[in-house]
Amino acid sequence: MRNTIIVTVLLFIGVIAASIYYFRDINKEQHNTLKPLKYLPENTFLIASIKNDEVTDNIFKDFDLFDALIGKKEIELIKKYKNQILRHEALYEFIENQDVFISFHQEADSLNTLFIIPTSTNIEESDFTSLLNEYSKTYKIASTDTLGNKITSFSFGNPDTTLYTTYYEHLIFASYSKSTLLSILDKSKPKLSENQIDYFIKNNSRNTPLSVYFPHQQYPNVIKHFQQRQKGIFADQFAGLEGQSAWNINFKQDALMLTGESEVDKSRGNYIALFRNQSKKTQRLYNYFPANTAVFMEYSISNYPKFSTDLHEYFEAREETKKIQTALESLQDSSSSLSKLPSVLQHDFALVEQTNQTHIAFIAVSDTAAWIEVANRLLEDSNDNIYRFRNANIPYALYGEAFKNMSRPYVARVDDVLVLSNSSNELRQYLNDFRRKDLLTGTLGFKNFEKLQGNEANVTLFVHNKNAFSKILYSLPRHYQANFRDKENYGFQDFYSWSLQLSGNAGSLSSQIYALYKSKNALGSTAEWTYQLNDKAITAPYVFEQSDTSQMILIQELDHTLHAIHPSGNKLWSAVISGRIVGEMQQLTDRSIIFVTDKNRLYRIDTFGKTLKGFSTGIAEEPIAAPLVAKVQNKYVLLVPTRNRILAYSQEGNRVDDWNNPDIQGNILGSIHNVGSDFVIATSYGRIYLLNNNGSLKKEIDLPGDIEFKTPIGVIDLGNNSFEFLAYDNKSILYRIGLDKIQSEVKIERHEEKYYGAFANINSSSVPEFILISDNKISGYEHSSFKPLFEYHFTKSIDDKPQFFKNAKSNDHLIGVASKATNLLYLFGDNGTIVEGFPVEGQPLFYYGKINYNSETYLLCMRRDKKLYAFKHQK
């Protein structure tokens, strides 16, 4: 990637975007639009029309993306001019109900901005003098006569903060460049054509605060202006794409989104123009791209015969027909393999540039069995399941520009996708990355990108800002390099990606531009507070009552220190606990907190971290889950599950002597359930034990067959002191079990040896649903017939159990999943959709909910810097 159109978007679209914040106006009729634009020279880079009302002001009030693009210093200067000049009450009566236009013009190595504001009535000379008198209270004002017009300057005495203006034909023109104004006034300079202006007017939405127009003939000049080198495998594909594009902004807090149409004229020799006669398709090859992807272009063809015809004309226009004929003739002895090839392929392909500047390509296969037959004739073996084309330019003959630099590539197949590279070693490295699932889709930024941009298109260009940062930086001229890496005044480093998406539309192209930004308002970007630990946390954060007026957060770190934190992030106290806390911490009605540790200790502490009398106390065996607070013989006791039995303690820490312990076969799984006045547990041997109020055996349910349980059971309360149980065994069977028989059983799926299952209410039902994490997938099953509710595939295996958080809007739960391999946190709603704002960067064990009485919803999570972060979720 020597250069791409996205760099252009980065710099000159960014300038427009920043200006939106400061210059806006009110709706007007379309016929009035023509007047301001007809004075613009034909070499105008870009045009935008902007509204100027309080509603638009409020929309972009906290849109910090603009500050990042244009620079904080420039923002402040423009803001000053807007508030003191454009919004001055003395001028407002003349510009009411008028749009503001912004255009961009090249001058040497700089890009100058021109503002055009129509006036509703003519400003007489006396009115103009009165205006200048008002402005002279704030600015140093000077006037000169040039080309028969008066040019007035507003400045603070520094040439860099001077705004030049002129009033001409009921239009106010303003620019930081005097020469730009003169080009407007110079009638001898060619202007934009009426056809181009009409296209902008036609596609200028009246329902968005910003519309943008780009004349395609300026593309070579834009590339030349912003790039030190004017050639590149991606940028070249847009060269010669004549016509124009018009976009309207869609507002999103953490992204710049421009959507519109691109008209394509006289583009016989342009590659991208081939897709104007296609229809958009679902693109999916990006799921195979490596994590070190810097740039990719993915292409999809809906009508290959039409594409093939257009491609032939393209080769003719480029005088490459002979080269292609040679490639086709070389296959004549391959038993018509080439004629079979189009039906074997899916006509979805992609080109990827990696951070090391090497390229790999992808082609989707529609029939893998047929491909193997064709491949035996087209390819030669290079060992390790890597092959190479026997003849040159075969992919190029089929699909064109994406394979221009791959004459005889090496080929490997993963699933139903061919992977191509000029280097067999590079291909082996990719295959290793794929086996490790080290893919682009596993990163936080790309997860957010997927939510922003749809996957239906004919062409998608994507630039990963971090992976391509150095490449972009050193392709820019030096004076732009300084801005691009300036972290104090600009924020280019806070962009995740830049992308362009094109879809065929009856001979034209629907087009969208996206710039995904790490907004300070996005969940996980700006913490309300952080709390520094000395090491990583080994429990999730818990929120408990601390007093009548405040709650507190408890979390334990690796050295076993228990930290109490105020909802404001300040330390309340810390205490060293003997061992790692096992299971959940719980708060009793007197606000004391109970928990057990792996050092065989039972704790009960107050809200100041002090142990209550009788605690901590030693327990006979290591606990496997949190205690159950239960009423036994009219007294509250703490029932502690260990591997093979249940231990009972009083609230004063004394062992309850008359608690019975029957023989239990297998290891107890999970917590003890209270069912009416009785208790129920399950063991790894596939057995369920119902215990009386004194711990004696009431009933044993032994499922037939050689089965095992690895997950805790669920309980269904049928009312009238009647209960049923839910269980999942090692043979992938879900059971609904009554006291006397199995009510139903369903085999749901095959799964890996390592899996996590849990029963929880997630769908506003009194009966819990089943949640299963197996390898890299989470699935949900409803409680009656165990039909699937949802499933979601992660890019890498999940190594932690799911967490459940009370849904503030209902009586069910949200599902929390931590992906340790990708350092991402997920939150799923009842229908399996990811909650808005997720995934978020973080480590396993987190909290989601209120952190104080009547507080907002927060995400509490740890990151690799050993800090606890509190992020307010503004939904």
Side-chain angles (χ1 to χ4, degrees), residues 568-585:
S568 64
N570 296 317
K571 179 178 179 178
L572 291 173
W573 51 264
S574 62
V576 177
I577 302 301
S578 177
R580 176 193 294 259
I581 294 174
V582 176
E584 305 286 323
M585 288 186 272

Side-chain angles (χ1 to χ4, degrees), residues 32-69:
N32 289 329
T33 306
L34 178 64
K35 187 176 181 180
L37 301 183
K38 69 179 183 179
Y39 297 100
L40 295 177
E42 66 177 2
N43 63 353
T44 299
F45 268 20
L46 207 72
I47 308 167
S49 69
I50 297 163
K51 303 188 184 307
N52 183 35
D53 53 29
E54 297 300 325
V55 173
T56 307
D57 281 350
N58 186 61
I59 290 175
F60 293 106
K61 179 178 59 178
D62 297 316
F63 206 13
D64 51 327
L65 180 150
F66 293 158
D67 295 15
L69 282 169

Side-chain angles (χ1 to χ4, degrees), residues 632-633 639 644-648 655-664 679 691-697:
V632 174
Q633 298 175 3
L639 301 181
N644 303 115
R645 59 179 179 154
I646 297 171
L647 304 178
R655 181 76 177 268
V656 177
D657 295 328
D658 55 353
W659 175 264
N660 295 298
N661 265 298
D663 290 333
I664 292 175
F679 306 101
L691 306 180
N692 288 308
N693 193 251
N694 63 357
S696 60
L697 181 63

Side-chain angles (χ1 to χ4, degrees), residues 342-408:
S343 62
V344 170
L345 302 179
Q346 206 171 76
H347 309 309
D348 296 328
F349 54 100
L351 180 65
V352 171
E353 179 169 323
Q354 303 175 99
T355 52
N356 62 1
Q357 301 176 37
T358 59
H359 295 88
I360 53 176
F362 299 80
I363 303 176
V365 177
S366 60
D367 187 337
T368 54
W371 161 252
I372 293 173
E373 179 184 347
V374 172
N376 288 334
R377 303 175 184 275
L378 293 179
L379 306 179
E380 59 187 26
D381 195 345
S382 295
N383 299 321
D384 300 330
N385 293 318
I386 294 176
Y387 303 85
R388 193 179 190 188
F389 278 95
R390 300 178 188 273
N391 307 99
N393 298 317
I394 302 305
Y396 184 60
L398 288 172
Y399 296 123
E401 204 69 16
F403 299 95
K404 185 175 184 178
N405 295 333
M406 290 188 176
S407 176
R408 285 187 60 218

Side-chain angles (χ1 to χ4, degrees), residues 487-551:
K487 296 182 179 181
E488 296 298 323
N489 192 39
Y490 296 90
F492 293 108
Q493 69 282 352
D494 290 325
F495 283 87
Y496 168 73
S497 63
W498 315 86
S499 61
L500 170 68
Q501 199 168 61
L502 303 171
S503 302
N505 185 17
S508 294
L509 292 167
S510 297
S511 55
Q512 294 84 35
I513 293 173
Y514 301 89
L516 183 59
Y517 179 66
K518 186 180 178 181
S519 170
K520 65 183 182 183
N521 298 309
L523 181 62
S525 294
T526 305
E528 293 291 310
W529 51 260
T530 62
Y531 184 88
Q532 182 69 62
L533 274 65
N534 294 320
D535 214 322
K536 68 177 183 179
I538 56 175
T539 69
Y542 292 84
V543 175
F544 295 123
E545 294 181 5
Q546 201 268 337
S547 67
D548 290 337
T549 59
S550 179
Q551 294 186 272

